[in-house]
Amino acid sequence: MTTATAAITMIPISMSSREIAELTGKDHRNVTRDIEKMLTDIGEGVLKFEQTYTNSQNGQSYREFLLPKDLTITLVAGYRSDLRLKIVRRWIELEAVPPQPSLSDRQRKAISILRVAEDEAAAFIRKRVNDAVLVMQGHEDLVAVPTPSGKVTPKQMREAVGLFRSLQYVNKLSGMDKNNALLSANRQVKETTGIDLLKNSGATHLLANETDHALTPTAIGKRLGDYGAQRINGALAHLGYQEKKSVGKTDAWVPTAKGEPHSVMEDTGKKHGNGTPIRQLKWKASIVPILEKEMKQDLETV
């Protein structure tokens, strides 16, 4: 046995009074009474084997006993044969499982701190996402927007990044392309935390340049020969790339399944009367040759 192996403390196998009660069909109070009497009779301290557990249903704490094998067998020696057999078989199962290394008090404390930090981080993200949704719905008055004073701390930055990733995912699900999902998420983070992540990273200009490739119907019309936006919209609808749907109190063009690969839903930064964000349908450059090839003649008659 190496020194490193010898230094590892293994958790001793034990059986709880609750498990004994379950296996034997006895009331737990009666089992604990039997254990106390047994420990007193053999001269063992009761507190040595006693501990508390929390009931998951009412949240209250109760006491139980953890017994090693010899004391468990001693306890059930006076029980019926069928009940003793259940206990023996259970001990065979317990001994067949390799013992697990125990944790030091310091390790347990570290794990407890990490779990608390995880819960706090999750709660923060949930609150910030809820705040961002309220802002998107026009309920800014219900949100307390913090404004970082001085230098942003590493903790504030981590929290903002976590919120940013969550909102970016939601934006993509709503139909935004990658760049607009990033820009919208950054604006929402700034509104709820006061931190402009893209400005801090210097990526604003790059993202803006990339989104410049999205074309309006007017820009498409100019590329195809000075056609107006109305004619281009009609051609896109005729080809099955877009359709009109009610959005809030107005009708707006939205891409069809056929048009989605060539479309971009941009967040304009404005809102409808009900607080939902206004998004504008634009098109990737890939739609231009499609219109030119397939509907050049139809454009004249739309």
Side-chain angles (χ1 to χ4, degrees), residues 24-93:
T24 60
K26 292 179 175 290
D27 187 89
H28 185 240
R29 288 175 296 180
N30 295 334
V31 173
T32 57
R33 180 200 61 199
D34 294 342
I35 292 174
E36 289 180 320
K37 183 178 184 305
M38 176 194 68
L39 294 175
T40 301
D41 291 345
I42 64 177
E44 288 282 3
V46 173
L47 296 180
K48 180 179 177 181
F49 303 96
E50 184 179 325
Q51 69 170 22
T52 60
Y53 72 94
T54 302
N55 187 297
S56 59
Q57 295 182 347
N58 58 24
Q60 296 184 6
S61 296
Y62 300 92
R63 67 172 187 153
E64 67 174 351
F65 290 92
L66 294 181
L67 300 180
K69 182 177 180 179
D70 57 345
L71 293 183
T72 304
I73 300 301
T74 302
L75 174 70
V76 301
Y79 290 3
R80 295 197 321 260
S81 298
D82 59 325
L83 302 183
R84 293 200 304 269
L85 181 60
K86 290 181 179 180
I87 298 297
V88 170
R89 285 176 174 172
R90 177 56 181 155
W91 264 105
I92 293 175
E93 293 176 356

Side-chain angles (χ1 to χ4, degrees), residues 148-184:
S149 57
K151 186 177 180 180
V152 177
T153 67
K155 180 181 178 182
Q156 290 174 320
M157 184 62 70
R158 287 194 299 270
E159 292 171 343
V161 170
L163 175 60
F164 176 86
R165 290 173 176 169
S166 300
L167 292 171
Q168 181 187 3
Y169 176 74
V170 172
N171 290 338
K172 287 182 178 179
L173 288 181
S174 67
M176 290 188 188
D177 69 344
K178 178 181 178 181
N179 289 329
N180 280 288
L182 289 171
L183 291 171
S184 179

Side-chain angles (χ1 to χ4, degrees), residues 233 237 242-247 250-256 281:
N233 277 326
Q242 69 177 8
E243 59 184 348
K244 271 195 173 182
K245 286 188 176 181
S246 296
V247 179
T250 61
D251 291 336
W253 289 110
V254 295
T256 61
L281 172 59

Side-chain angles (χ1 to χ4, degrees), residues 30 65 88 106 113-114 153 234 237 249 271 285 301:
N30 295 334
F65 290 92
V88 170
R106 183 177 180 181
I113 292 173
L114 287 174
T153 67
K249 296 182 179 180
K271 298 176 183 178
T301 59

Side-chain angles (χ1 to χ4, degrees), residues 52 63 87 140 187 198 211 227 246 285-287:
T52 60
R63 67 172 187 153
I87 298 297
E140 292 91 343
R187 182 173 60 256
L198 294 183
T211 56
Y227 296 106
S246 296
S286 60
I287 198 68

